[in-house]
Amino acid sequence: GGWIEHCREVFPFYAPTINSYKRYVSASWAPTRIAWSVDNRTAGFRVVGNGTKGLRIECRLPGADCNPYLGLAAALASGLDGIRQKIEPPPCFDGDVYAAQELKIVPQTLGE
């Protein structure tokens, strides 16, 4: 829950440069809206390995230009805050996240 709740606040750690935001375009396999889903590459947070011992959550928001230490610190801080405050995640999204107009979008610029 904390990952989704604090996503926009920690986004500069995931996309630290002006050019980082050029990848967040619909139908580009980069997440453009804030949602979680199971085995869905259009979602920013993807649950992978459902039904296996390798169950994990991928945070697909950071780009290759992200400092991995700062990105991980931001993810840990928002996740831990979600646990501390008992923030529940929204329901699992099923379908094409790019087409879901009701979902919040990721920031479109570094200034947002």
Side-chain angles (χ1 to χ4, degrees):
W3 275 2
I4 292 176
E5 179 73 24
H6 299 299
C7 182
R8 293 184 62 84
E9 296 160 351
V10 300
F11 216 78
F13 295 106
Y14 297 155
T17 69
I18 293 170
N19 285 334
S20 301
Y21 295 84
K22 293 180 180 179
R23 73 181 275 265
Y24 300 105
V25 178
S26 287
S28 65
W29 296 114
T32 57
R33 297 191 180 274
I34 302 168
W36 74 275
S37 192
V38 177
D39 284 329
N40 183 344
R41 290 189 181 190
T42 65
F45 301 98
R46 180 173 99 141
V47 177
V48 183
N50 197 16
T52 71
K53 290 183 180 181
L55 184 67
R56 63 192 182 280
I57 302 173
E58 292 179 349
C59 176
R60 300 188 60 251
L61 298 170
D65 54 353
C66 162
N67 178 315
Y69 301 105
L70 295 177
L72 183 59
L76 284 172
S78 59
L80 288 171
D81 185 63
I83 292 169
R84 242 186 321 272
Q85 294 191 38
K86 296 180 171 57
I87 300 171
E88 290 293 326
C92 178
F93 186 85
D94 188 29
D96 183 4
V97 174
Y98 295 132
Q101 299 297 316
E102 71 275 12
L103 297 173
K104 291 180 187 176
I105 61 170
V106 298
Q108 298 298 294
T109 66
L110 186 58
E112 277 185 53

